[in-house]
Amino acid sequence: MVAILPALKKVGIWLAPPPQKSEDGRAQWPSRAAFLLAAMGGCAGMGNLIRYPSQVYNNNGLQWFIPYLMCVFLVAIPCLVLEIAIGQAYHGGSVVAFNNVNHRLKGLGSSLLYIGFIVGPYFVVNLSWIMIYFRNSFKSPLPWEGRSEEFFYQIVVANVDAIPGNKTSTSVIDYTEYPGVKLIGETVAWTAFTWFLVWVSIFRGVGLTGRVVYFTMGLPIIMTVVIVGRSVSLENAGRGMKLYFGEWHGEKLARGDIWQTAAGQVFFSTGVGFGYFSSYASYNQKHSNAVMDSILIVTSNVLFEGFAAFAAFGVIGYMGMSPVDGERIGAFTIGFLTLPTAITELPAAKFWAFALFFTLMVLGYSSAFAMLDAVVTLVMDSGIGYVAKFGFALLTGIDRWISDVALVFVVFCECAASTSLYRWRDVVGQIGLPSFITFNSSFFGGMFFGVAVTHAAGAPAGAGVGFGLFIVGTLVALFIGKTPDYEPPSNYFNRNPYISRFWYLAFYSGQQLVIDLNVIVGMGKNWNIPVVWAPLLRFISAPTLAIIFGFSYPSFNALREDPLHILGFVVAHICLLLISAGVLLPRWFDVLIPPKRRCEGKIVYAPNVVQGSLETQ
């Protein structure tokens, strides 16, 4: 027995190796490839196979790709550069990293973890449904053959029908009632099993995770290629391809929902706003190529989900489905009704069922442990409601508003706050506090009132109010500001005192963030963060997200009689409270940061001096 223990220990170390250590003692990825695969695994999930095609289907045609690609290039890539760069530079997860940007952004860092905390439990319940299908894929005939809706809603989800509510244009008469409250045994069991697998994958840190990702990324890619090949060979698959990218419905671009769904899909599929990229990047070598890594991660995800969608659209063409204006289908319809129904009509149906649900499980599994890596406590307790007999409706309500409200607002704050508050003491010291407050009040106030007026009186009026407030506030700020002691680095901004003041107000924080991060992530042959990155975040990405965020409130008005949608709406808005509390009461969040690192976000007054890294601070 004594002789066996050393052998078992060696096997355990080989299967679950302890992570490498950096100079400061922090765990480190075994290789750059391990980090990239883990990050890509967090992006490439089951949503690529089922959520993405459902969003494209609901907004069928080439017009979908306009807001989708705009969100990818104007929001996802710049924000991912931010999350990875600060996590890597400051060797900490989202709370520690944003504390280093500014000590009042600890609430923003916490809100990213909060989103993972909310999404993780229902995401794992999705995986438990997939496992039920996977178990049943070994039966002959497949148990959902000829009764796909009955099997999903009555056997898998097993939810009791809700009692609909009633409302008028001004008030709610009766709220929707959900009589089913019992837990569903098999769903509970598979959920517990999935959490166990997630724990096994991360309990030894990035040393073990770095090995697991080779399986969770490699195998699903192979299986996806096989499934896509079979799907596009189906009869009438070409009709589905036409729905995918062969039609144009330009009038849909005037509707808010296409912009909301595009932004939500980009955030869910790339993982921006969930906090795990800063966590993963904190285990990188400090001088890794953050900019190149960010572009590789987002690009690989866009290509993967664009390719994987052929599987769904081949089946859509085969089944003769067509979008109906005003009727939306959810991701669960594609994943648990459309694809399984088509499988029953294929030769070797059992094999294709096994292949589909095994691929969905492994894809979802890699995303699940990415989220849990950022939030490791209390997840099990928060997921109980999703395995009850009203769980599907609860999941739908939470998912809707986390996507439309919380994620959009959190990423908006990442874009705007990091480029407005970084090294703000330098700005105040150069042009004065009244000027600083006036400019930023007009910047944020212009977006707020512009969106509000747009919904009340129309887009032209809203744009006029928003831009007008910003321009007036900027002129006042320039008039009351001091003349800077230190000239801007560019001769263009040195022409007169007013232009110099404008440079400090509009560009200084973002430029210094670029310079200070590039000292770390842009070393050697690494790609530098470009100069245009910060203005893009502040003046393009942030206003775009503010507009998208405004669409969520009219959408909620149509569902205000449903208590689970009300709950989802409230849960999503907790992010706003966390961020506000962090700005007003930053000390409340100090408990989340190691004592020796709590003062790192209070950067001393040093205009135009490169801060660089923790060591130079």
Side-chain angles (χ1 to χ4, degrees), residues 13-259:
I13 292 175
W14 181 81
L15 291 173
Q20 301 174 16
K21 299 291 183 180
S22 60
E23 293 179 0
D24 61 2
R26 189 174 183 82
Q28 201 169 75
W29 290 104
S31 66
R32 183 187 180 197
F35 162 71
L36 286 173
L37 286 174
M40 291 174 182
C43 293
M46 61 181 181
N48 296 121
L49 270 177
I50 59 177
R51 186 186 183 99
Y52 175 78
S54 71
Q55 305 292 11
V56 180
Y57 180 87
N58 289 328
N59 300 280
N60 67 296
L62 285 170
Q63 70 284 339
W64 154 264
F65 294 98
I66 293 177
Y68 172 74
L69 292 175
M70 285 182 63
C71 287
V72 167
F73 288 105
L74 298 181
V75 180
I77 291 178
C79 285
L80 192 59
V81 171
L82 173 66
E83 291 186 12
I84 290 180
I86 62 176
Q88 181 175 306
Y90 303 122
H91 265 201
S94 61
V95 179
V96 170
F98 276 103
N99 176 62
N100 276 268
V101 174
N102 187 284
H103 73 288
R104 294 186 182 274
L105 297 184
K106 291 189 282 278
L108 173 58
S110 301
S111 69
L112 272 71
L113 298 183
Y114 172 77
I115 288 177
F117 180 83
I118 296 298
V119 172
Y122 77 68
F123 192 87
V124 169
V125 172
N126 290 166
L127 299 183
S128 72
W129 297 344
I130 291 171
M131 289 302 296
I132 295 173
Y133 273 92
F134 179 74
R135 177 181 67 80
N136 282 280
S137 67
F138 294 96
K139 296 181 179 179
S140 185
L142 294 173
W144 59 84
E145 184 173 349
R147 58 182 194 122
S148 57
E149 291 194 15
E150 177 188 349
F151 181 79
F152 177 60
Y153 289 115
Q154 297 184 17
I155 306 300
V156 179
V157 175
N159 275 198
V160 177
D161 291 340
I163 302 171
N166 296 290
K167 65 177 182 294
T168 65
S169 59
T170 57
S171 63
V172 175
I173 300 173
D174 298 304
Y175 287 97
T176 302
E177 296 182 17
Y178 294 91
V181 295
K182 294 182 180 179
L183 300 182
I184 304 166
E186 184 173 6
T187 306
V188 172
W190 281 121
T191 299
F193 174 73
T194 304
W195 280 123
F196 172 74
L197 289 181
V198 170
W199 174 79
V200 166
S201 299
I202 67 172
F203 84 100
R204 287 298 294 269
V206 293
L208 176 58
T209 305
R211 291 198 173 192
V212 173
V213 292
Y214 285 96
F215 167 77
T216 60
M217 280 301 296
L219 186 60
I221 290 175
I222 296 172
M223 298 298 291
T224 300
V225 171
V226 173
I227 293 171
V228 168
R230 182 67 183 96
S231 179
V232 298
S233 67
L234 295 173
E235 184 180 356
N236 293 325
R239 187 176 177 279
M241 301 304 108
K242 186 179 179 182
L243 287 174
Y244 187 13
F245 54 77
E247 296 182 358
W248 173 258
H249 302 276
E251 71 280 359
K252 291 192 174 184
L253 292 173
R255 303 177 185 175
D257 56 351
I258 191 173
W259 296 89

Side-chain angles (χ1 to χ4, degrees), residues 245-331:
F245 54 77
E247 296 182 358
W248 173 258
H249 302 276
E251 71 280 359
K252 291 192 174 184
L253 292 173
R255 303 177 185 175
D257 56 351
I258 191 173
W259 296 89
Q260 276 186 294
T261 55
Q265 174 60 33
V266 168
F267 296 153
F268 263 95
S269 64
T270 62
V272 169
F274 285 88
Y276 57 76
F277 283 117
S278 295
S279 176
Y280 274 177
S282 71
Y283 302 115
N284 271 346
Q285 294 183 7
K286 181 164 285 190
H287 300 295
S288 294
N289 199 335
V291 178
M292 179 185 286
D293 290 348
S294 302
I295 294 174
L296 286 174
I297 291 166
V298 175
T299 303
S300 66
N301 178 75
V302 170
L303 293 175
F304 179 73
E305 70 180 3
F307 173 75
F310 282 99
F313 278 94
V315 169
I316 286 170
Y318 172 69
M319 298 183 66
M321 296 173 59
S322 291
V324 177
D325 195 34
E327 294 183 12
R328 300 173 59 85
I329 66 169

Side-chain angles (χ1 to χ4, degrees), residues 304-356:
F304 179 73
E305 70 180 3
F307 173 75
F310 282 99
F313 278 94
V315 169
I316 286 170
Y318 172 69
M319 298 183 66
M321 296 173 59
S322 291
V324 177
D325 195 34
E327 294 183 12
R328 300 173 59 85
I329 66 169
F332 307 118
T333 302
I334 292 285
F336 297 109
L337 295 178
T338 304
L339 293 175
T341 299
I343 282 171
T344 62
E345 301 181 31
L346 299 178
K350 288 174 61 176
F351 168 77
W352 294 111
F354 164 84
L356 171 65

Side-chain angles (χ1 to χ4, degrees), residues 475-500:
L475 293 175
V476 172
L478 295 178
F479 180 76
I480 66 176
K482 300 188 302 181
T483 300
D485 299 321
Y486 295 87
E487 294 183 347
S490 171
N491 291 330
Y492 180 81
F493 290 101
N494 291 328
R495 296 182 177 181
N496 64 62
Y498 293 101
I499 296 179
S500 296

